[in-house]
């Protein structure tokens, strides 16, 4: 009987323990995720949030990069895509349907920059408390500003002004900012970030922001918002850094082996892996069917490479517009040998020349390739200054010289000042030059829009393009979730 | 195992199980992620399976494996091990009062290996890809209760007070590699992979429940029954200060036939009235939703100096105010038995009112997040339940009995905390949000465009700004502004059936026994994702189509309003419409079972009983649904029915022999 008493007491004790433990039992336990206070305890922690911001701003996961660049390019006179899963992402843009619903790219275009902006806010709001050196704080603050400016710039190019959030605590339902407010915000962010960013080439690692990148982005902002004097001046400042130069040959500029060259002010970094964490998969669209090899370059289909059903193609008119000596079209394939050993001719009139800009490299894994994707190149800075000076002063020798710098690298003959009798004539040449230089780099749409040619050329191709199509529609999901957000005019 | 003495009661029970799974790739997605059924639907039926060299023939129009290669080239094996055990000890302080402690555990181990061999597109490209997962889910429970039970003359009183706590834990790890020396070892030897491709990942999370409970049962003269209880439930999933919820309930029962005033006739031999009211809580949300955490996500890595670096992103907008979702339920019912048990059954009316619904509220993605888990709004579920058993013929030689049940459900969102609507839900065959939550309508009603016909030659195509041609779907321009867009969406139906029913009949003649069971669902809608994908194929422009609708497609010489021309894939944005949200009502002959039990005299001395039977399951479906089976719902959520790439349900025939020893 005595043992029973002990057991009974044991029960009582256990029940009491349960009661006493009570509330603290329910404190959530976190195992694999990280709480913010741990994160801002160390430089590694803060940097991991920063790298998250960079990754979001780069849009390099899965097929995002290939589709994002292409969705922009296929709205222009450069090229188009056919077959495969294009209804998923391309048709809505290519066919000028632009309904804000029918393409998976709407979420990439809208959400990815805002994810980068979110991380930038978190960094700026928590870094004062972080247990890291003052130098690190001011550098990371500047990098966060750069990423935020870059992301808002991307949104602006796609949609025009969008909700301008500048902190995490701001009201969730925010209307669009005014054009003026939006542009000055991007400008002031970059100007504020610049002094605290390292000089180009001295950044801690390739892929992190530096002065050159911020200056390049500012040049592009001024260019696309037609602030010609500022654009010309900023481009001049970059030239005067004396750091940047054109890579000697255009053909090798986009190859993995020539990454990190001095023409590149800002790139979207890539590396091939199974999970396609940060890659460009554009080659999968570029390979023609049953590609085996290419006689002119000796390129062979890499074993294990993928060749998607979707085919990216260059329009005949664009292909014909190149000067015969222009090496910039050497990155287009006009014939190939297929797996049956037959030579296949892709030349006109089939609209079937293939864009091989992101030249296949040894760095690939299945559909993933590791080519860094140039975002801002020195050639763009030179042509931006040429364009701005022409806008300010009409045809002038400096513009011509800058253009010839770019042409000489490509093996195209020089142009002369007396070839151009008016501002419009030179402007029109600059638009062509930019087309030859930057085809399939995702810049053609904004260049055509700036020159007022985007809609007219689409109409000339028989498309139902309308004036308001210079801006993408605000995605339907964004309107669905935000009652104070208004659709862009015309839609 | 149980041991009992006068004052002490002790028991242990354990069970364990093992299940081996072999999977077929099946996905709720497009392209290579779609799986075998998706590929079989879309592949050119005219393509050979293999070429002269024995390789699988691939279409050049889509990035999808040959359907047979999907079945034979993906090797997916799983093993599930489960161990369950409880131990309890009860000590009787008095004959009517005991203290009881119970402890239990449930451990689930699961491992799964996937190998894509070189006959698949991905396997060929990456030199074989292996993935090995292992997951452990455990939960344990500790419970202490004080129990009281005593009869005083006509009174019978029971009471219970207790405390329970339960802890759940999930662990997950995976490794993946490619470029294997050989396909022969499948995913069983990661040592044969290219080491530089090896990826490892692991994850762990957990949550805790803690409850205090009290309950009183009271019975008077076996006529009046009363139960009242009170629970305080705590969950670690909610915000600080909101972790506990308070849930009272009570029920009453009255056996009228026991009353002296109740006439004793042959008609009614049992009649019981029941009524109950109670509140219950729901905490079925993910862990950590009330707090800010950071995690590394899929495809969010960054590359610095050509190396991947660890990148972290915030996982959510934390909601520290998260609390229990509460459902208040009223149930009034009658149990009856008539004609000395020949007919018996029950009728119930119920109403469930759910408040503080736990919903993922879509928020502007300009915040960097797409949704926030909140307690918002309320909804009502109400309906009748009806069950009847009838012995139609009871004879020594032949008997026939019937079972009928009938269930109705009305769901309505009653308010949304001031928000007029929430547009939510998507799946990758369609575009955009496809459902709406709005007061006055059932939860997650399908939301899309109403088809008014097909554009015909001679129609004024300029009456809409959208780019349409004859043969395209013609949608109702709800706001009349000349543009078909998101503002023209309407409610197209919902996933809640008007009623469901089951009807079973058993016939017996001597040793023969025949059981026939029908069941049905009436007045339910579903998105026919397979049909939607036929109209707007996302994996490729040129794909195989279902013969029946496609052969009746619009052409200049067949100016029908029944089917479009299938040419305008850009109408994908209006893919969820009144042609693809369809009625999924059905009647199924679910079970037929015929058995024969041998007379005992034949088997005397050898067996206690011998029964031979044949059973057929899922035999016939009566439905207007165009698809494999209107009962399929590969989307999983019962309140949000979408049929797409669903594996056809099996028709099963069983032959068997039951031997009793």
């Amino acid at each position: 009987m005595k043992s029973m008493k002990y057991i009974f007491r044991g029960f009582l004790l256990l029940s009491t323990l349960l009661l006493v433990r009570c509330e603290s039992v329910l404190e959530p336990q976190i195992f694999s995720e990280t709480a913010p206070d741990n994160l801002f305890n160390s430089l590694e922690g803060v940097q991991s949030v920063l790298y998250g911001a960079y990754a979001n701003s780069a849009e390099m996961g899965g097929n995002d990069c290939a589709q994002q660049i292409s969705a922009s390019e296929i709205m222009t006179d450069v090229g188009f895509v056919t077959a495969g899963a294009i209804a998923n992402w391309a048709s809505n843009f290519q066919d000028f349907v632009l309904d804000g619903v029918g393409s998976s790219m709407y979420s990439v275009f809208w959400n990815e920059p805002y994810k980068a902006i979110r991380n930038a806010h978190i960094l700026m709001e928590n870094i004062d408390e972080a247990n890291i050196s003052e130098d690190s704080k001011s550098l990371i603050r500047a990098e966060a500003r750069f990423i935020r400016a870059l992301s808002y710039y991307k949104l602006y190019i796609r949609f025009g002004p969008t909700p301008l959030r500048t902190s995490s605590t701001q009201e969730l339902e925010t209307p669009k900012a005014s054009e003026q407010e939006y542009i000055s915000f991007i400008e002031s962010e970059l100007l504020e970030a610049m002094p605290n960013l390292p000089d180009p080439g001295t950044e801690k690692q390739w892929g992190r922001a530096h002065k050159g990148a911020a200056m390049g982005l500012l040049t592009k902002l001024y260019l696309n918002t037609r602030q010609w004097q500022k654009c010309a001046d900023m481009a001049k400042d970059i030239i005067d850094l004396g750091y940047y130069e054109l890579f000697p040959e255009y053909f090798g500029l986009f190859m993995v082996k020539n990454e990190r060259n001095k023409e590149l002010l800002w790139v979207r970094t890539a590396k091939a892996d199974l999970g396609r964490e940060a890659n460009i998969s554009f080659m999968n669209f570029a390979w023609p069917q049953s590609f085996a090899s290419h006689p002119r370059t000796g390129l062979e289909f890499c074993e294990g490479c993928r060749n998607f059903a979707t085919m990216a193609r260059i329009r005949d008119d664009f292909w014909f517009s190149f000067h015969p000596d222009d090496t910039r079209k050497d990155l287009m394939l006009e014939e190939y040998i297929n797996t049956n050993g037959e030579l296949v001719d892709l030349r006109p009139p089939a609209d079937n020349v293939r864009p091989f800009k992101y030249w296949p490299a040894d760095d690939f894994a299945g559909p993933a390739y590791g080519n860094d994707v140039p975002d801002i190149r020195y050639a763009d800075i030179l042509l931006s200054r040429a364009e701005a000076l022409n806008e300010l002063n009409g045809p002038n020798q400096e513009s011509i010289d800058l253009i010839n710098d770019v042409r000489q690298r490509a093996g195209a003959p020089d142009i002369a000042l007396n070839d151009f009798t008016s501002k419009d004539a030179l402007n029109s040449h600059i638009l062509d030059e930019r087309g030859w230089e930057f085809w399939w780099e995702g810049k053609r749409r904004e260049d055509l829009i700036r020159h007022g040619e985007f809609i007219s050329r689409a109409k000339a191709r028989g498309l139902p393009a309308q004036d308001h199509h210079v801006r993408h529609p605000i995605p339907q999901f964004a309107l669905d979730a935000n009652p104070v957000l208004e659709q862009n005019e015309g839609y | 195992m149980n041991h009992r003495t006068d004052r002490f009661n002790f028991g242990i029970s354990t069970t364990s199980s093992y299940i081996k799974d072999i999977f077929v790739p099946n996905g709720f997605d497009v392209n290579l992620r779609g799986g075998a059924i998706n590929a079989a639907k879309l592949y050119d039926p005219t393509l050979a399976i293999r070429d002269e060299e024995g390789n699988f023939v691939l279409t050049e129009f889509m990035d999808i494996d040959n359907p047979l290669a999907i079945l034979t080239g993906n090797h997916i094996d799983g093993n599930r091990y489960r161990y369950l055990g409880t131990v309890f000890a009860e000590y009787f302080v008095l004959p009517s009062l005991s203290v009881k402690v119970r402890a239990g555990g449930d451990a689930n181990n699961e491992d799964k290996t996937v190998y894509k061999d070189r006959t698949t597109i991905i396997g060929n490209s990456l030199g074989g890809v292996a993935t090995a997962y292992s997951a452990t889910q455990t939960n344990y429970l500790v419970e202490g209760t004080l129990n009281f039970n005593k009869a005083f003359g006509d009174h019978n009183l029971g009471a219970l007070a207790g405390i329970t706590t339960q802890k759940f834990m999930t662990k997950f790890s995976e490794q993946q590699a490619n470029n294997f020396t050989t396909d022969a070892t499948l995913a069983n030897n990661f040592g044969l992979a290219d080491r530089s491709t090896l990826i490892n990942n692991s994850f762990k999370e957990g949550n805790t429940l803690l409850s205090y409970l009290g309950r009183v049962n009271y019975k008077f003269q076996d006529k009046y029954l009363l139960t009242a209880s009170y629970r305080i439930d705590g969950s670690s999933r909610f915000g600080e200060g909101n972790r506990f919820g308070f849930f009272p309930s009570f029920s009453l029962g009255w056996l009228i036939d026991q009353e002296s005033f109740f006439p004793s006739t042959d008609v009614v031999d049992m009649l019981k009235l029941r009524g109950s009211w109670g509140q219950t809580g729901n905490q079925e949300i993910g862990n950590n939703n009330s707090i800010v955490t950071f995690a590394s996500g899929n495809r969010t890595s960054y590359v610095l100096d050509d190396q991947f670096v660890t990148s972290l992103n915030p996982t959510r907008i934390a909601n520290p105010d998260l609390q229990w979702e509460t459902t208040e339920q009223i149930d009034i019912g009658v149990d009856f038995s008539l004609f000395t048990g020949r007919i018996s059954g029950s009728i119930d009316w119920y109403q469930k009112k759910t408040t503080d619904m736990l919903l993922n509220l879509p928020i502007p993605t300009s915040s960097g997040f797409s949704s926030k888990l909140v307690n918002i709004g309320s909804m009502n579920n109400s309906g009748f339940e009806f069950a009847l058993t009838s012995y139609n013929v009871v004879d020594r030689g032949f008997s026939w009995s019937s079972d009928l049940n009938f269930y109705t459900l009305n769901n309505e969102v009653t308010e949304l905390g001031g928000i007029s609507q929430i547009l939510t839900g998507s799946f990758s065959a369609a575009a955009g949000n496809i459902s709406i939550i709005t007061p006055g309508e059932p939860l997650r009603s399908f939301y899309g465009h109403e088809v008014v016909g097909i554009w015909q030659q001679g129609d004024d195509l300029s009456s809409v700004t959208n780019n349409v041609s004859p043969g395209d779907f013609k949608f109702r321009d709800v706001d009349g502004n000349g543009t078909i867009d998101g503002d023209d969406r309407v409610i197209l139906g919902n996933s809640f059936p008007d009623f469901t029913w089951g009807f079973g009949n058993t016939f017996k003649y001597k040793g023969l026994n025949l059981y026939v069971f029908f069941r049905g669902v009436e007045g339910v809608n579903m998105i026919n994702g397979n049909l939607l994908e036929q109209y707007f194929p996302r994996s490729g422009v040129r794909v195989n189509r279902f013969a029946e609708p496609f052969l009746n497609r619009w052409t200049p010489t067949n100016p029908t309003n029944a089917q479009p021309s299938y040419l305008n894939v850009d109408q994908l944005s209006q893919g969820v419409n009144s042609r693809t949200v369809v009625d999924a009502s059905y009647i199924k002959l679910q079970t037929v079972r015929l058995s024969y039990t041998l007379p005992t005299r034949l088997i005397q001395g050898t067996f206690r009983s011998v029964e031979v039977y044949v059973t057929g399951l899922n035999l016939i479906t009566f439905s207007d649904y165009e698809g494999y089976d209107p009962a399929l719902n590969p989307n999983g959520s019962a309140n949000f029915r979408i049929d797409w790439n669903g594996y056809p349900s099996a028709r099963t025939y069983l032959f068997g022999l039951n031997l009793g020893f």
Side-chain angles (χ1 to χ4, degrees):
Chain A
M1 254 4 261
K2 207 170 180 185
S3 61
M4 287 298 171
K5 224 171 231 173
Y6 284 123
I7 291 168
F8 181 47
R9 282 181 190 162
F11 287 156
L12 282 182
L13 187 67
L14 188 61
S15 313
T16 323
L17 275 176
L18 276 172
L19 276 162
V20 171
R21 274 185 71 210
C22 62
E23 317 279 335
S24 62
V25 175
L26 295 179
E27 203 54 47
Q29 284 179 290
I30 316 170
F31 301 99
S32 300
E33 298 175 348
T34 323
D37 40 344
N38 302 329
L39 218 48
F40 283 86
N41 245 338
S42 68
L43 185 60
E44 289 74 18
V46 179
Q47 281 175 344
S48 64
V49 181
L50 176 72
Y51 301 156
Y54 275 121
N56 292 326
S57 76
E59 302 171 356
M60 295 293 283
N63 283 325
D64 283 0
C65 176
Q67 294 182 347
Q68 178 262 115
I69 289 182
S70 302
S72 167
E73 214 71 6
I74 58 180
M75 298 182 81
T76 74
D77 49 5
V78 169
F80 62 106
V81 290
T82 54
I86 59 169
N88 256 343
W89 61 277
S91 310
N92 208 275
F93 294 94
Q94 184 161 280
D95 302 345
F96 278 74
V97 174
L98 296 168
D99 58 15
V101 182
S103 166
S104 59
M105 297 319 292
Y106 287 114
S107 73
V108 175
F109 282 159
W110 183 270
N111 291 342
E112 297 306 309
Y114 275 122
K115 286 184 196 162
I117 292 164
R118 170 199 66 199
N119 280 32
H121 291 157
I122 293 170
L123 286 165
M124 286 192 268
E125 286 156 12
N126 291 284
I127 201 152
D128 285 338
E129 312 300 321
N131 187 20
I132 58 174
S133 73
E134 284 308 313
D135 284 354
S136 298
K137 285 184 187 177
S138 73
L139 173 64
I140 289 171
R141 238 185 251 117
E143 289 182 82
R145 279 189 200 287
F146 170 77
I147 293 166
R148 190 159 72 165
L150 176 66
S151 304
Y152 274 125
Y153 174 75
K154 285 187 182 188
L155 284 166
Y156 178 77
I157 291 295
R158 295 163 183 175
F159 301 100
T162 64
L164 185 65
R165 287 175 65 81
T166 53
S167 83
S168 328
T169 50
Q170 214 168 315
E171 198 68 22
L172 286 175
E173 293 173 1
T174 320
K176 277 187 255 180
S178 74
E179 184 104 25
Q180 186 50 47
E181 192 185 355
Y182 205 87
I183 294 166
S184 5
F185 180 77
I186 301 171
E187 180 184 19
S188 68
E189 282 290 279
L190 290 170
L191 290 173
E192 201 163 328
M194 236 181 258
N196 292 317
L197 288 173
D199 289 331
T202 68
E203 69 271 22
K204 285 208 175 94
Q205 291 131 312
W206 179 252
R208 290 181 69 167
H210 49 78
K211 267 194 190 76
M215 293 166 84
L217 183 57
L218 206 43
T219 310
K220 293 306 311 269
L221 175 76
Y222 292 144
L223 177 75
N224 280 312
T225 54
R226 310 171 70 88
Q227 303 184 62
W228 304 120
Q229 190 60 55
K230 283 183 174 176
C231 175
D233 293 348
M234 188 50 67
K236 181 76 167 43
D237 288 349
I238 294 171
I239 295 165
D240 289 346
L241 288 175
Y243 178 82
Y244 291 104
E245 62 193 28
L246 295 177
F247 188 70
E249 39 119 20
Y250 189 86
F251 189 81
L253 180 53
F254 305 90
M255 292 183 181
V256 170
K257 63 175 183 186
N258 295 323
E259 282 174 355
R260 305 169 76 154
N261 67 64
K262 283 192 168 179
E263 180 167 345
L264 305 169
L265 281 80
W266 187 242
V267 299
R268 303 157 65 183
T269 55
K271 183 175 169 64
D273 79 322
L274 178 58
R276 305 179 66 190
E277 291 284 335
N279 75 113
I280 177 162
S281 52
F282 181 70
M283 273 314 300
N284 305 288
F285 298 150
W287 299 112
Q289 274 149 13
S290 312
F291 180 94
S293 63
H294 180 233
R296 171 161 56 80
T297 59
L299 176 70
E300 288 182 11
F301 192 67
C302 30
E303 185 166 353
C305 274
R306 291 280 302 279
N307 187 351
F308 288 174
T310 297
M311 297 287 147
R313 300 154 156 221
I314 295 289
R315 296 184 200 282
D316 286 348
D317 286 348
F318 184 66
W319 192 75
F320 276 125
S321 73
F322 282 89
H323 189 278
D325 299 338
D326 197 329
T327 58
R328 292 175 290 196
K329 72 170 190 316
D330 292 351
L331 284 171
M332 297 178 187
L333 258 62
E334 67 295 321
E335 59 180 16
Y336 70 104
I337 292 168
N338 69 13
T339 43
N340 294 332
E342 300 150 355
L343 185 71
V344 181
D345 193 348
L346 297 166
R347 273 171 299 205
D351 276 332
N352 207 9
V353 169
R354 300 309 174 108
F356 268 48
K357 188 144 226 174
Y358 306 96
W359 197 260
D362 291 341
D363 185 19
F364 74 91
Y369 292 79
N371 304 57
D372 284 355
V373 179
D375 210 9
I376 307 172
R377 296 201 271 121
Y378 191 52
D380 200 352
I381 302 302
L382 300 181
L383 292 179
S384 296
R385 180 162 165 84
E387 183 172 335
L389 290 177
N390 180 48
E391 288 282 356
L392 291 166
N393 313 318
N396 63 88
Q397 191 56 48
E398 191 181 349
S399 290
I400 300 295
D401 291 345
L402 289 165
I403 296 166
N404 281 338
D405 283 348
V406 173
R407 288 179 67 82
Q408 280 160 16
R409 187 262 303 266
D414 280 357
I415 54 167
L417 183 57
N418 56 20
D419 295 343
F420 305 95
T421 51
S422 70
K423 188 203 278 190
D424 283 352
L426 183 54
N427 218 2
S428 161
H429 177 85
I430 289 170
L431 181 60
D432 289 345
E433 195 69 54
R434 292 189 66 90
W436 300 322
E437 180 68 26
F438 302 115
W439 58 270
W440 229 290
E441 291 181 52
K443 296 184 170 28
R444 188 61 175 163
R445 173 178 162 268
E446 69 198 47
D447 288 342
L448 288 171
I449 291 171
R450 191 175 65 251
H451 285 259
E453 292 280 325
F454 180 63
I455 300 301
S456 54
R457 291 193 190 186
K459 279 181 175 161
R461 293 197 305 276
L463 289 160
Q466 296 170 50
D467 290 346
H468 61 269
H469 287 155
V470 294
R471 283 178 174 165
H472 294 331
I474 307 286
Q476 186 67 44
F477 67 80
L479 299 173
D480 285 351
N482 185 356
V484 301
L485 181 60
E486 279 176 36
Q487 182 53 283
N488 279 338
E489 222 171 280
Y491 285 104
Chain B
M1 193 187 90
N2 231 318
H3 174 74
R4 185 161 193 152
T5 66
D6 274 359
R7 312 210 84 181
F8 198 70
N9 192 4
F10 173 81
I12 284 184
S13 77
T14 62
T15 52
S16 55
S17 66
Y18 165 69
I19 298 170
K20 180 173 176 59
D21 293 307
I22 297 171
F23 297 94
V24 168
N26 212 28
F28 206 67
D29 213 331
V30 298
N31 282 347
L32 277 172
R33 302 175 299 276
I37 297 296
N38 185 266
K41 281 184 311 193
L42 301 179
Y43 239 67
D44 283 23
T46 51
L47 276 186
I49 296 171
R50 293 175 189 272
D51 62 18
E52 298 97 8
E53 291 160 17
N55 298 317
F56 283 109
V57 174
L58 295 174
T59 173
E60 61 181 51
F61 302 106
M62 297 181 291
D63 295 304
I64 296 186
D65 268 310
N66 186 298
L68 191 62
I70 296 177
L71 296 180
T72 59
N74 288 285
H75 310 266
I76 315 177
D77 299 288
N79 296 290
R80 285 184 281 163
Y81 311 85
R82 188 168 187 188
Y83 313 93
L84 270 159
T86 56
V87 50
F88 77 91
E90 186 173 17
Y91 177 72
F92 288 85
V93 185
L94 300 164
S96 55
L97 179 69
S98 70
V99 184
K100 186 175 177 182
V101 174
R102 193 164 72 94
D106 180 357
N108 245 306
N109 284 308
E110 186 176 345
D111 64 65
K112 190 172 170 184
T113 54
V114 181
Y115 188 77
K116 288 180 182 299
D117 72 24
R118 286 172 170 84
T119 64
T120 66
I121 293 175
I122 291 179
N124 180 45
S125 155
L126 293 162
V129 184
T131 315
Y133 306 87
S134 96
T136 309
Q137 281 175 301
T138 54
N139 82 75
Y140 64 80
L141 173 131
V142 184
E143 185 180 82
T145 51
L146 270 171
N147 301 282
F148 177 79
N149 254 311
K150 194 160 173 111
F152 316 85
D154 283 340
H155 308 273
N156 202 322
L157 185 68
L160 175 149
I163 177 168
T164 75
T165 180
Q166 199 168 5
K167 197 171 178 91
F168 299 83
M169 199 65 71
T170 301
K171 279 195 290 187
F172 172 83
S173 72
E174 97 183 294
Q175 54 177 333
Q176 196 172 29
N178 61 298
N179 252 331
F180 282 79
T181 324
T182 165
D183 280 345
T185 56
L186 302 179
N188 301 312
N189 187 350
F190 276 75
L192 297 184
D194 175 351
R195 277 169 182 256
S196 68
T197 67
L198 194 65
I199 302 171
N200 278 299
N201 219 334
S202 64
F203 181 74
K204 179 178 171 179
E205 65 172 0
N207 67 299
T208 312
L209 287 170
L210 171 69
S211 302
Y212 307 91
L213 48 117
R215 190 172 67 223
V216 179
N217 303 304
Y218 171 71
K219 196 154 76 173
F220 179 70
Q221 284 184 340
D222 285 338
K223 274 194 285 195
Y224 310 107
L225 313 163
L226 182 142
T227 305
S229 72
Y230 195 76
R231 290 185 68 104
I232 302 174
D233 289 320
S235 166
S236 64
R237 286 175 166 166
F238 298 118
E240 210 177 341
N242 294 324
R243 292 194 182 125
F244 284 99
F246 307 89
F247 306 107
S249 72
F250 68 83
S251 66
L252 294 166
W254 181 21
L255 280 100
I256 308 176
D257 59 89
Q258 300 293 313
E259 295 288 356
S260 51
F261 61 77
F262 195 80
S264 86
T265 64
D266 286 347
V267 180
V268 181
D269 46 58
M270 194 274 272
L271 185 65
K272 181 183 176 186
L273 266 180
R274 289 178 283 108
S276 68
W277 172 91
Q279 292 187 335
T280 51
N282 173 24
Q283 58 111 39
E284 291 309 314
I285 53 174
N287 296 324
N288 301 340
N289 274 296
S290 65
I291 49 179
V292 179
T293 58
F294 287 76
S296 53
N298 186 25
R299 293 177 171 176
T300 55
S301 293
Y302 195 57
V303 177
L304 285 178
D305 278 351
D306 218 32
Q307 297 300 321
F308 286 110
V309 289
T310 306
S311 312
L312 289 177
N313 283 303
T315 38
R316 67 187 71 85
I317 287 204
N319 182 357
D321 301 325
L322 275 184
Q323 56 174 355
W324 288 84
E325 171 183 293
T326 304
T327 297
E328 183 181 303
Q329 176 165 0
I330 300 173
D331 189 304
I332 296 168
V334 187
D335 298 332
F336 58 88
S337 168
L338 310 174
F339 311 113
T340 57
R342 287 291 285 267
I343 297 174
S344 62
S346 64
I347 301 170
D348 279 84
W349 172 83
Y350 68 92
Q351 182 179 3
K352 295 183 201 172
K353 206 171 177 174
T354 304
T355 50
D356 298 326
M357 284 194 287
L358 287 163
L359 282 182
N360 260 316
L361 181 70
I363 57 169
T365 49
S366 44
S367 61
F369 301 93
S370 57
S371 68
K372 180 182 179 182
L373 189 66
V374 294
N375 292 97
I376 193 171
S378 30
M379 71 174 171
N380 261 342
N381 283 291
S382 61
F384 286 95
E385 269 181 80
F386 181 69
L388 195 70
T389 302
S390 162
Y391 296 91
N392 308 318
V393 178
V394 184
D395 189 86
R396 279 180 61 119
F398 176 72
S399 72
W400 167 33
S401 67
S402 304
D403 289 288
L404 176 70
N405 63 69
F406 183 86
Y407 179 83
T408 73
L409 170 62
N410 280 309
N411 174 282
E412 185 191 333
V413 176
T414 47
E415 58 96 15
L416 268 186
I419 301 176
S420 64
Q421 59 183 40
I422 296 172
L423 299 174
T424 182
S426 61
F427 80 115
S428 39
N433 289 319
I434 60 174
S435 73
I436 186 170
I437 303 174
T438 191
E441 296 290 338
L443 195 68
R444 292 206 168 81
S445 293
F446 297 117
Y447 197 53
H449 295 266
E450 189 189 329
V451 176
V452 292
I454 303 294
W455 286 102
Q456 302 294 339
Q457 282 173 315
D459 285 356
D460 178 14
L461 301 176
S462 68
S463 59
V464 291
T465 60
N466 306 65
N467 200 23
V468 290
S469 316
D472 292 350
F473 278 121
K474 185 175 183 179
F475 299 106
R476 189 151 80 88
D477 184 10
V478 176
D479 61 7
N481 70 350
T483 299
I484 302 300
D485 60 15
D487 296 334
D488 298 308
R489 289 173 290 181
V490 293
I491 289 174
L492 298 166
N494 64 74
S495 309
F496 296 91
D498 294 340
F499 61 90
T500 55
W501 58 271
F503 184 45
N505 282 286
T506 308
F507 306 92
K508 279 185 194 164
Y509 180 71
K510 296 190 171 159
L512 272 177
N513 189 323
L514 175 68
Y515 174 66
V516 180
F517 177 66
F518 287 90
R519 67 185 180 90
V521 174
E522 203 54 48
V524 64
N525 296 114
M526 172 153 75
I527 294 184
N528 187 340
N530 295 323
L531 184 64
L532 195 156
E533 190 185 35
Q534 294 281 302
Y535 290 139
F536 313 110
R538 301 199 81 166
S539 297
V541 185
R542 186 187 170 287
V543 299
N544 182 41
R545 302 305 217 290
F546 294 154
E548 183 55 46
F550 188 67
L551 292 175
N552 188 29
R553 70 190 180 280
W554 186 96
T555 61
T557 52
N558 179 32
T560 172
N561 271 307
Q563 293 293 335
S565 66
Y566 285 65
L567 292 176
N568 188 350
V569 293
D570 288 330
Q571 287 189 323
L572 166 72
S573 304
Q574 290 84 34
V576 173
N577 60 46
S578 53
R579 294 287 170 87
T580 54
V581 174
V582 299
D583 183 45
S585 306
Y586 64 87
I587 297 172
K588 257 180 199 280
L589 175 56
Q590 183 64 32
T591 311
V592 174
R593 186 179 194 271
L594 181 68
S595 64
Y596 180 67
T597 307
L598 265 61
T600 32
R601 58 185 160 79
L602 287 182
I603 51 167
Q604 228 155 25
T606 44
F607 300 104
R608 194 165 48 77
S609 66
V610 175
E611 186 198 38
V612 200
Y613 66 87
V614 50
T615 303
L617 298 171
N618 188 29
L619 293 171
I620 310 173
T621 304
F622 305 91
S623 174
D624 292 335
Y625 182 74
E626 289 181 291
Y628 295 128
D629 188 341
L632 289 180
N633 179 20
N635 191 35
S637 164
N639 297 339
F640 199 36
R641 294 170 57 90
I642 303 171
D643 179 19
W644 185 37
N645 302 344
Y647 212 76
S649 43
R651 180 173 302 147
T652 310
Y653 299 100
L654 293 163
F655 300 89
L657 181 68
N658 277 332
L659 299 177
F661 298 95

